[in-house]
Amino acid sequence: MPVLAPASGTSQPPYPLHASIVDKLDPQYVAFYNKHIINAQQVHYQPVAASRVGGKLIPGGSNNLPVDLTQDFSISRQETEGPEVDGQSWFTFMAVVGFLAILTQRIRLAPEDPFPAAVHDSWEALLWTVSKGVQILNLNKDLVTIGGSSAGGNLAAVLTQKATELLPTLKFRVQLLIVPVTDNTAAVTTNATYKSCQFTAALPAEKMLWYRNHYLPDQTMWTALEASPLLAPLKTFAKLPPAVILVGELDVLRWEGEEYARKLNAAGVHAKVELMKGMPHPFLAMDGVLDEGKRAITILCESLKDAFASPSADLEQ
């Protein structure tokens, strides 16, 4: 399958916004980018270790909100092999988590732990949550949702499909998928927004493929359903819960988020797509400086309230 060549590793800042995209971007994003991001080293042009010690990867987020309690848990595995799932909070969207008031857990990181390590860890975390976690955290198993952003959106979609088959008594009220990766076979030659947004800000196609090649170094696994949930058959989509899917107008991942919603709707499952105008990929993490980032959080909070409001969880209102 045709793919872009990996980053050369030789490019240096500054990184001006590409001419094909700059006039389409939200002016707030352009102004912030030109002031705070243009001279920052891009992660796909340096070693992974350098990115991990280089400070905040996505500037522009609001301050973390105070919450009543945060707790870290180490989870013993029930079905997969490996060490305990480390429960230490390590999360790009801590401010968003504060707004949603949910518990986070650490996900292992590629390239040291490539696919399917993150899927296994997330599955073990879900198993723990709906078993031991119910009593420890005083949870109501009738009021459960699942969600994630970007790679986390991929994991949320994968776990929802897997839970539908293996945990039939668990009923998610809604799945909240923000700029999700649903098709890890996508390329500029095969995907509409990989092509139209090839040189977009924040997550150009080349950078997305850099991430993919770290997470999925074995290309034969790109079509696995636990890597590309969009490829699941329609009968699987028919069993899934309703979805709210947020996509960026100028994100390479826009098409696969919209297509995931189209397949849900085609299978008779209500899926609502919210298009964030003029936005590249990381708008949710930039809620401190972008109005569309703030709107995204509002949509997520309102979607949760709607999902919890009644057994029918009518998301069409």
Side-chain angles (χ1 to χ4, degrees), residues 153-154 156-161 175 177 180-183 228-232 236-237 240-241 243 245 254-266 269 271 273:
N154 172 274
V158 168
L159 260 63
T160 303
Q161 292 187 4
Q175 46 183 328
L177 306 179
V181 179
T182 68
D183 181 9
S228 298
L230 180 62
L231 306 184
T236 296
F237 280 83
L240 299 179
I245 302 177
R254 173 182 170 179
W255 181 88
E256 58 199 83
E258 293 175 331
E259 185 65 12
Y260 203 80
R262 282 191 284 268
K263 287 193 73 170
L264 283 167
N265 285 320
V269 177
V273 175

Side-chain angles (χ1 to χ4, degrees), residues 10 17-18 23 26-29 34 51 109 124 138 168 192 206 209 212 216 227 237 240 247-248 258 270 281:
T10 59
L17 293 166
H18 197 272
D23 291 335
D26 184 289
Q28 280 186 322
Y29 181 88
N34 287 334
S51 296
L109 304 172
E124 293 291 349
N138 192 29
E206 178 187 46
L209 291 175
R212 181 190 299 167
L216 285 157
F237 280 83
L240 299 179
V247 297
E258 293 175 331
H270 180 67
H281 184 73

Side-chain angles (χ1 to χ4, degrees), residues 41 58 70 76 80 97 128 151 189 200 225 248 280 284 294 301 306:
Q41 179 66 52
I58 306 176
T70 62
S76 298
T80 61
V97 172
W128 180 89
T189 54
T200 191
L225 297 186
L284 186 65
K294 296 180 179 68
C301 292
D306 291 343

Side-chain angles (χ1 to χ4, degrees), residues 59-92:
S62 59
N63 294 327
N64 294 348
L65 294 180
V67 294
D68 290 338
L69 177 68
T70 62
Q71 292 178 271
D72 296 326
F73 297 93
S74 293
I75 299 171
S76 298
R77 293 179 183 273
Q78 300 181 48
E79 294 185 0
T80 61
E81 296 182 356
E84 288 188 339
V85 179
D86 186 353
Q88 180 181 355
S89 298
W90 194 97
F91 194 53
T92 303

Side-chain angles (χ1 to χ4, degrees), residues 28 283 286-299:
Q28 280 186 322
F283 57 83
M286 299 178 67
D287 65 297
V289 296
L290 298 178
D291 290 341
E292 286 290 82
K294 296 180 179 68
R295 187 168 77 90
I297 292 177
T298 299
I299 291 169

Side-chain angles (χ1 to χ4, degrees), residues 265-280:
N265 285 320
V269 177
H270 180 67
K272 181 180 181 181
V273 175
E274 294 282 356
L275 178 66
M276 314 309 288
K277 293 287 188 178
M279 288 293 108

